[in-house]
């Protein structure tokens, strides 16, 4: 295998506190990184870099880990422009808008759905995302949920079964029957294609008992829980997530002190999705409150056609710093190592020997510019598994 060194990096974010300045970011100034195959094999000061087959001069620019987008909904057809326009004109967001996407997704071919996923993946990659999770949830029949997961699995290993996105329109008068379907035949068809199981625990979707039954059934089939929790209202989602050792509780917008304490003391990651608040004019999650309580926080896009139609992690970083009480250092950590924690991965989200070689070269001297220069396309180059992709 050939080796490649990226040298003269002004500021290298390793997310390894044993390196560099000893902070959680493990910042190394005037740094270099050596890639061999699909792995990082060396990091350190540029003047001490070993000889390699190839050298790329970063010319005083920053390098960060590839973003880990741990929450997205990319298997869908159509868009909801009219809904967004109405919402921006004063109509509130409600979970029921998902039904519009369900109808369009059911009508789309496998080829159309796969092409959409590839399109949004390429869009995200150009903005520095090297790992992403995506969900089903816009089919809501056994056949459509299973095909959504098969399609998703062509593009990522981080696939989530979300048959419990909302109660299917076909079961509008029989929600208990739909829970039986989600935990029975649908689960059997979907489990072979997924790693995770998720549920939208919210008014207008699934209550505490329904969500517990769904996640427990998924866990019995080898799928690990994650949960849409406390997005639109205060509710039981966060407490349920911690109780079931879910990898992440996602949204976490409306939290009681008990919810914050539970996340601070447990292993469940609080995944914040500021694109959703931006696109729905909703209350911002209080990241500062979570961080001060000791919770692990991830930042993700929630890319979906209804409530957060963005694939840009840099945009979400800027929002988190501006409106959610995060420092630039905390935001970059949460969008990389935090996302990895939400997927229970240790091989991504960091630049340290043994980690997967996912790197982003910024056209800026520091990661702080991601928040300092919002909306500016600062991603200059992207490596995924050691291969330069951008």
């Amino acid at each position: 295998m050939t080796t490649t060194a990226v040298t003269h990096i002004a500021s290298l974010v390793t997310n390894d506190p044993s390196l560099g300045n000893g902070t959680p970011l493990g910042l190394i100034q005037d740094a270099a990184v050596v890639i061999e195959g699909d792995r990082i094999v060396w990091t350190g000061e540029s003047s001490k870099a070993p000889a390699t087959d190839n050298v790329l001069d970063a010319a005083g620019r920053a390098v960060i880990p590839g973003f880990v987008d741990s929450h997205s909904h990319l298997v869908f057809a159509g868009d909801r422009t009219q809904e967004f326009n109405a919402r921006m004109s004063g109509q509130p967001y409600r979970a029921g808008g998902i039904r519009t996407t369900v109808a369009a997704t059911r009508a789309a071919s496998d080829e159309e759905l796969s092409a959409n996923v590839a399109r949004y993946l390429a869009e995200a990659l150009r903005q520095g995302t090297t790992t992403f999770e995506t969900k089903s949830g816009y089919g809501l029949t056994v056949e459509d949920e299973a095909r959504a997961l098969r399609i998703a699995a062509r593009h990522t290993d981080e696939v989530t079964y979300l048959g419990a996105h909302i109660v299917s329109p076909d079961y509008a008068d029989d929600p208990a029957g739909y829970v039986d379907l989600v935990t029975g035949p649908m689960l059997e068809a979907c489990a072979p294609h997924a790693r995770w199981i998720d549920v939208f625990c919210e008014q207008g979707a699934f209550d505490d008992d329904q969500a517990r039954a769904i996640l427990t059934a998924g866990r019995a089939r080898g799928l690990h829980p994650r949960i849409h929790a406390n997005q639109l209202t205060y509710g039981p989602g966060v407490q349920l997530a911690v109780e079931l050792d879910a990898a992440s509780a996602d949204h976490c917008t409306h939290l009681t002190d008990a919810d914050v304490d539970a996340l601070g003391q447990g292993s469940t990651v609080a995944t914040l999705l500021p694109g959703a608040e931006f696109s729905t004019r909703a209350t911002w999650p209080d990241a500062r409150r979570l961080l001060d309580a000791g919770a692990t926080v991830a930042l993700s896009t929630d890319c979906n056609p209804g409530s957060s139609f963005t694939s840009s992690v840099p945009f979400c970083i800027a929002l988190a710093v501006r409106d959610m009480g995060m420092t630039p250092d905390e935001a970059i950590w949460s969008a990389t190592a935090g996302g990895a924690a939400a997927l229970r991965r240790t091989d991504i989200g960091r630049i340290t020997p043994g980690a997967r070689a996912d790197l982003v070269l910024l056209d800026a001297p520091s990661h702080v510019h991601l928040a300092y220069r919002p909306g500016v396309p600062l991603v200059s180059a992207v490596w995924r598994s050691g291969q330069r992709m951008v």
Side-chain angles (χ1 to χ4, degrees), residues 202-221:
E202 188 64 67
Q203 290 182 10
F206 297 90
D207 65 21
D208 184 10
D209 292 338
Q210 293 168 328
R212 180 180 284 101
I214 290 163
L215 296 178
T216 301
R219 192 167 58 181
R221 285 289 281 112

Side-chain angles (χ1 to χ4, degrees), residues 11 46 48 54 58-59 73 104 107 120 141 150-153 169 191-192 204 222 226 249 296 354 374 379 383:
S11 177
S46 191
K48 299 177 181 178
N54 305 298
H73 303 251
Y120 296 120
T141 68
R150 288 195 301 270
I151 290 166
R226 44 200 328 111
T296 300
V379 173
W383 288 261

Side-chain angles (χ1 to χ4, degrees), residues 300-332:
S300 184
T301 64
D302 191 18
C303 186
N304 76 83
S307 61
S308 184
F309 205 2
T310 180
S311 59
S312 175
V313 174
F315 174 65
C316 293
I317 287 173
L319 293 179
V321 172
R322 168 62 178 81
D323 291 303
M324 290 163 45
M326 300 187 88
T327 68
D329 284 9
E330 289 166 341
I332 190 70

Side-chain angles (χ1 to χ4, degrees), residues 130-161:
T130 52
T131 301
F132 79 102
E133 176 270 2
T134 201
K135 311 174 192 294
S136 64
Y138 293 126
L140 309 187
T141 68
V142 172
E143 179 181 351
D144 285 308
E145 285 295 296
R147 76 161 178 152
L149 295 173
R150 288 195 301 270
I151 290 166
R154 298 174 193 168
H155 302 276
T156 180
D157 294 332
E158 300 296 345
V159 178
T160 300
Y161 166 46

Side-chain angles (χ1 to χ4, degrees), residues 14-373:
T14 69
N15 286 337
D16 184 343
S18 71
L19 300 174
N21 65 357
T23 67
L25 292 192
L27 285 172
I28 304 176
Q29 307 298 327
D30 192 15
V33 175
V34 176
I35 301 168
E36 182 175 6
D38 66 350
R39 297 286 147 176
I40 304 293
V41 294
W42 187 89
T43 59
E45 296 176 13
S46 191
S47 62
K48 299 177 181 178
T52 56
D53 300 308
N54 305 298
V55 177
L56 185 147
D57 189 343
R61 291 174 288 178
V63 170
I64 63 173
F67 297 125
V68 180
D69 192 345
S70 60
H71 183 125
S72 73
H73 303 251
L74 299 186
V75 187
F76 68 88
D79 69 23
R80 281 148 65 183
T81 305
Q82 291 181 339
E83 176 187 321
F84 177 80
N85 191 33
R87 188 163 64 244
M88 293 300 103
S89 302
Q91 297 179 22
Y93 171 67
R94 294 184 176 87
I98 293 167
R99 294 177 180 85
T100 304
T101 302
V102 169
T105 303
R106 288 179 178 180
S109 68
D110 288 11
E111 292 73 21
E112 289 169 327
L113 294 176
S114 187
N116 278 346
V117 176
R119 171 190 170 192
Y120 296 120
L121 173 58
E123 184 179 277
L125 183 66
R126 291 193 299 270
Q127 299 173 90
T129 297
T130 52
T131 301
F132 79 102
E133 176 270 2
T134 201
K135 311 174 192 294
S136 64
Y138 293 126
L140 309 187
T141 68
V142 172
E143 179 181 351
D144 285 308
E145 285 295 296
R147 76 161 178 152
L149 295 173
R150 288 195 301 270
I151 290 166
R154 298 174 193 168
H155 302 276
T156 180
D157 294 332
E158 300 296 345
V159 178
T160 300
Y161 166 46
L162 183 59
H165 202 177
I166 59 169
V167 174
S168 169
D170 308 321
Y171 284 78
D173 297 323
D174 186 16
Y178 186 66
V179 172
D180 289 342
L181 181 71
V182 168
T183 57
M186 189 183 287
L187 175 60
E188 291 302 309
C190 290
H193 310 293
R195 181 183 178 201
W196 307 96
I197 185 168
D198 198 344
V199 59
F200 190 9
C201 184
E202 188 64 67
Q203 290 182 10
F206 297 90
D207 65 21
D208 184 10
D209 292 338
Q210 293 168 328
R212 180 180 284 101
I214 290 163
L215 296 178
T216 301
R219 192 167 58 181
R221 285 289 281 112
L223 304 182
H224 201 85
R226 44 200 328 111
I227 186 168
H228 286 60
N230 300 56
Q231 177 188 5
L232 305 178
T233 58
Y234 293 95
V238 163
Q239 296 293 334
L240 181 61
V242 174
E243 173 193 329
L244 297 180
D245 188 34
S248 65
D250 297 20
H251 288 290
C252 295
T253 308
H254 299 277
L255 301 179
T256 65
D257 289 344
D259 293 332
V260 174
D261 290 344
L263 290 166
Q265 296 168 15
S267 61
T268 297
V269 174
T271 299
L272 307 184
L273 309 168
E277 278 70 40
F278 177 88
S279 297
T280 60
R281 289 180 174 161
T283 301
W284 297 102
D286 189 346
R288 179 82 272 131
R289 185 180 174 207
L290 287 162
L291 290 164
D292 289 348
T296 300
V297 172
L299 279 178
S300 184
T301 64
D302 191 18
C303 186
N304 76 83
S307 61
S308 184
F309 205 2
T310 180
S311 59
S312 175
V313 174
F315 174 65
C316 293
I317 287 173
L319 293 179
V321 172
R322 168 62 178 81
D323 291 303
M324 290 163 45
M326 300 187 88
T327 68
D329 284 9
E330 289 166 341
I332 190 70
W333 190 95
S334 294
T336 52
L343 296 174
R344 297 203 165 165
R345 299 273 297 270
T346 58
D347 61 325
I348 56 175
R350 58 197 181 101
I351 300 176
T352 190
R356 199 173 79 180
D358 295 348
L359 297 82
V360 174
L361 176 66
L362 298 178
D363 191 15
S366 166
H367 65 279
V368 177
H369 281 237
L370 291 167
Y372 180 44
R373 303 195 68 206

